[in-house]
Amino acid sequence: MRITPQALRSIAQAIAGVAVLWYFAAVPARAEEVKAGDLVITQAWSRATPGGAKIGGGYLTIENKGSAPDRLIGGSADVASKVEVHKMAMTNGVMKMRPVEKGLTIEPGKTVKLAPSSYHLMLFDLKGPLKQGDKVPVTLEFEKAGKAQISLDVQGLGAQAPAGNAGGNMEMKKMPGGMKM
């Protein structure tokens, strides 16, 4: 995926506008925790998608409490035709997104966070929009721990973190003058 300079400027302008007008809603964090073998999965969430969107993202935290590494190799969801592990990174000033071909390793005693602009789940060919407030069931597949059923808590369009974290449940709102926040 390549972002054009014009799109990058638009994104920068939107971020600047949001930075001025953000507000933080006090919503308690969801404490759902899923265990799969030696892995503990928490803070599973996604962003709402506009109608007609064909892709969505999933974010979560995986802690390996065991003594051997494990690997997140993929997943599945009824709302999407395919779920893959991806990574975003800046290369020569261009944001690029690529699948993680051999899976994402979670070393023993370590925690890996899937978050916007980093490692994340890609949900391809969505069968409908992800709506704020919904819970989206996803099955994760690990090399050693096997399959784990999680639910992504769908946050607002511009969310940067799960509910209860700074800015996690912010909504995009139309402001006077047509600016969206």
Side-chain angles (χ1 to χ4, degrees):
M1 183 170 141
R2 184 174 169 101
I3 298 177
T4 66
Q6 181 181 1
L8 197 52
R9 278 191 297 275
S10 294
I11 291 168
Q13 289 171 345
I15 290 171
V18 169
V20 173
L21 300 172
W22 291 80
Y23 69 92
F24 299 94
V27 175
R30 292 179 174 95
E32 187 173 329
E33 181 177 282
V34 174
K35 294 182 181 177
D38 291 327
L39 304 176
V40 178
I41 304 155
T42 57
Q43 298 181 339
W45 67 283
S46 183
R47 291 180 177 136
T49 59
K54 290 297 179 187
I55 59 170
Y59 314 103
L60 50 107
T61 301
I62 307 167
E63 180 182 3
N64 186 343
K65 294 189 174 195
S67 58
D70 204 338
R71 189 181 323 262
L72 174 60
I73 54 177
S76 61
D78 289 342
V79 300
S81 65
K82 183 167 54 169
V83 176
E84 293 181 351
V85 181
H86 278 231
K87 180 179 182 178
M88 290 184 80
M90 282 294 249
T91 305
N92 297 324
V94 176
M95 182 67 80
K96 294 184 178 183
M97 181 175 59
R98 301 274 186 259
V100 180
E101 296 295 333
K102 296 179 181 178
L104 176 59
T105 301
I106 304 99
E107 296 292 342
K110 301 290 182 179
T111 299
V112 175
K113 187 171 188 152
L114 282 71
S117 300
S118 182
Y119 290 106
H120 59 279
L121 299 176
M122 286 295 299
L123 287 73
F124 289 98
D125 195 24
L126 291 174
K127 297 172 183 164
L130 304 181
K131 298 177 184 170
Q132 185 173 358
D134 285 353
K135 287 185 168 283
V136 177
V138 173
T139 302
L140 300 176
E141 188 172 348
F142 295 93
E143 187 174 68
K144 294 180 181 165
K147 295 184 178 182
Q149 303 290 325
I150 65 165
S151 289
L152 300 175
D153 292 327
V154 182
Q155 307 298 311
L157 280 171
Q160 291 297 311
N165 288 343
N169 61 335
M170 290 180 238
E171 297 179 36
M172 297 293 280
K173 295 184 180 187
K174 192 165 185 179
M175 302 300 287
M179 180 185 282
K180 280 188 174 181
M181 300 320 266

